[in-house]
C-alpha cells in the first residue's frame, strides 16, 4: 500500500545534511546543556514481523524525530512492516539511477535469504527486512552502531554501505559540476553590478583533496571484497585505474598447483 510521505521524510538526505544552514546554538547560560542535548532522547522502536525478537533497534536524535513524524502521520493500525517500508522509501527516491538499476541483481542473495521478491521494475530498490530497518539511518548520515552483524547477514549490511558510499560520491560529484558551471557563468557576466548580486563563494564547495569518503577495513581481504561490490553495483559505469596493482596487493592469494 502506498503511503504519502511527510515533507521532511521525502527530503534529499544529501541536501539536508550538507546544506549551509547554521547549526543550532546552545544557550551558554544553561549549565544543563551539553554538546548534543538531543541525544539524551533515545527510544526502542517496533520491528516486529521484520527482525527476530533477539534484535533490538534504538533510535535517537534527528532520525528518531523523523521516525516519529512519519508514524504520527500514518493511521493507527499501520503495521510495523508498512512503517519501515515507508521510512526507507524516503531516501530511496534520491538514489542515483545507475545504482538503482544494478541494485536488485547485486542484492539478490539477500532477498532470497529473507524470502523477499524482487521488484519487477528495475529502477525500484528491493530491500530485505534488515536492510529496510538500517537504510533510513545510514542514508541520512546518522551515526550507526551495528552490534548484531553475523556471517549470515554481513553481505546485507555491506550492500547497504556500498550503495550509500557510492550514492554520496556520485551526488557530490554532480553537485560540484553544477556549482562549477555556475561559477563559470558568473565569471563571464559582463555587468559587474549583476555579478555582485550573487557572490561566487557560495558555490565553492571543494577542498584540497578529491576523495569524499574514508573507509577503514580490518584486513586487505575485506577491503578487496567491498571494492568488488562497488564495481558490481556501478556496472558498466565503473572506470577502473591501477586494477592489476590493487588485485596483486589486496586480492586473494593465488596458489600455484603442484
Amino acid at each position: 500500500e502506498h503511503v504519502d510521505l511527510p515533507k521532511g521524510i521525502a527530503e534529499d538526505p544529501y541536501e539536508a545534511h550538507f546544506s549551509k544552514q547554521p547549526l543550532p546554538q546552545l544557550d551558554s547560560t544553561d549549565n544543563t546543556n551539553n554538546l548534543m542535548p538531543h541525544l539524551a532522547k533515545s527510544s526502542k522502536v517496533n520491528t516486529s514481523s521484520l527482525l527476530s525478537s533477539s534484535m533490538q533497534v534504538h533510535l535517537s536524535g534527528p532520525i528518531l524525530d523523523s521516525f516519529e513524524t512519519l508514524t504520527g502521520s500514518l493511521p493507527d493500525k499501520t503495521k510495523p512492516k508498512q512503517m519501515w517500508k515507508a521510512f526507507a522509501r524516503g531516501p530511496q527516491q534520491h538514489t542515483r539511477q545507475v545504482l538503482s538499476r544494478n541494485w536488485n541483481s547485486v542484492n539478490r542473495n539477500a532477498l532470497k535469504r529473507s524470502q523477499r521478491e524482487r521488484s519487477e521494475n528495475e529502477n525500484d530498490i528491493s530491500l530485505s527486512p534488515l536492510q529496510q530497518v538500517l537504510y533510513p539511518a545510514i542514508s541520512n548520515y546518522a551515526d550507526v552502531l551495528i552490534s548484531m552483524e553475523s556471517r549470515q547477514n554481513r553481505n546485507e549490511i555491506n550492500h547497504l554501505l556500498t550503495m550509500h558510499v557510492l550514492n554520496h560520491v556520485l551526488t557530490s560529484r554532480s553537485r560540484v559540476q553544477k556549482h562549477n558551471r555556475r561559477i563559470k557563468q558568473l565569471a563571464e557576466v559582463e555587468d559587474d553590478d549583476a555579478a555582485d548580486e550573487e557572490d561566487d563563494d557560495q558555490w565553492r564547495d571543494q577542498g584540497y583533496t578529491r576523495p569524499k569518503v574514508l573507509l577503514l577495513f580490518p584486513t586487505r581481504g575485506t577491503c578487496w571484497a567491498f571494492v568488488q561490490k562497488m564495481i558490481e553495483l556501478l556496472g558498466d559505469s565503473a572506470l577502473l585505474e591501477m586494477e592489476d596493482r590493487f588485485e596483486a596487493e589486496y586480492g586473494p592469494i593465488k596458489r600455484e598447483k603442484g
Side-chain angles (χ1 to χ4, degrees):
E1 183 181 353
H2 181 78
V3 177
D4 292 331
L5 300 177
K7 182 178 180 181
I9 308 301
E11 186 178 8
D12 185 348
Y14 184 96
E15 294 293 338
H17 188 73
F18 293 98
S19 67
K20 295 186 178 181
Q21 297 296 324
L23 295 175
Q25 298 298 312
L26 299 180
D27 184 1
S28 59
T29 62
D30 185 357
N31 294 328
T32 62
N33 276 336
N34 53 48
L35 291 177
M36 303 187 73
H38 60 276
L39 290 183
K41 180 183 177 182
S42 177
S43 178
K44 177 185 173 182
V45 293
N46 189 349
T47 56
S48 61
S49 76
L50 279 159
L51 305 181
S52 69
S53 58
S54 62
M55 296 182 182
Q56 296 184 1
V57 176
H58 293 259
L59 301 180
S60 63
I63 196 69
L64 175 59
D65 295 339
S66 297
F67 185 77
E68 291 178 340
T69 298
L70 174 66
T71 54
S73 68
L74 299 176
D76 295 336
K77 295 183 179 180
T78 303
K79 297 179 180 179
K81 182 188 295 185
Q82 294 172 317
M83 279 192 278
W84 282 102
K85 184 176 182 179
F87 199 33
R89 186 161 55 84
Q92 283 179 17
Q93 299 175 117
H94 304 284
T95 303
R96 311 299 292 189
Q97 187 174 4
V98 61
L99 305 180
S100 300
R101 186 168 59 246
N102 297 323
W103 168 258
N104 288 334
S105 61
V106 172
N107 198 48
R108 60 184 178 275
N109 288 335
L111 297 175
K112 183 178 180 180
R113 195 175 75 86
S114 62
Q115 299 181 341
R116 285 295 181 92
E117 295 183 359
R118 292 170 53 181
S119 171
E120 295 181 359
N121 187 341
E122 65 173 8
N123 291 323
D124 284 346
I125 298 175
S126 299
L127 300 175
S128 69
L130 176 60
Q131 290 172 334
Q132 279 188 4
V133 172
L134 292 176
Y135 187 59
I138 291 174
S139 61
N140 279 281
Y141 297 90
D143 294 330
V144 181
L145 173 62
I146 304 173
S147 59
M148 32 59 70
E149 181 181 346
S150 65
R151 183 173 297 178
Q152 288 72 32
N153 63 30
R154 186 173 301 157
N155 280 337
E156 290 180 69
I157 297 172
N158 283 340
H159 290 167
L160 274 186
L161 297 176
T162 302
M163 180 164 63
H164 174 59
V165 167
L166 290 177
N167 196 61
H168 170 81
V169 171
L170 294 175
T171 303
S172 176
R173 180 173 180 268
S174 176
R175 190 183 195 186
V176 167
Q177 291 175 335
K178 178 181 177 181
H179 289 179
N180 285 346
R181 289 193 296 269
R182 185 57 185 155
I183 292 173
K184 184 178 179 180
Q185 290 173 353
L186 290 175
E188 294 173 351
V189 173
E190 297 180 0
D191 187 349
D192 293 337
D193 293 336
D196 290 340
E197 292 178 1
E198 187 174 355
D199 187 0
D200 66 354
D201 284 346
Q202 66 177 304
W203 304 109
R204 298 188 182 277
D205 52 12
Q206 299 183 65
Y208 294 104
T209 57
R210 294 185 64 184
K212 302 296 183 184
V213 180
L214 172 63
L215 298 169
L216 302 178
F217 297 96
T219 65
R220 294 189 178 201
T222 54
C223 174
W224 178 86
F226 195 89
V227 171
Q228 297 309 306
K229 286 299 179 185
M230 288 198 293
I231 295 173
E232 188 178 356
L233 192 53
L234 285 170
D236 296 336
S237 300
L239 299 176
L240 308 180
E241 296 181 1
M242 303 182 70
E243 183 180 8
D244 292 340
R245 179 178 175 182
F246 178 75
E247 285 287 336
E249 295 184 4
Y250 289 84
I253 298 176
K254 298 179 181 179
R255 302 183 182 277
E256 297 182 1
K257 295 182 180 181

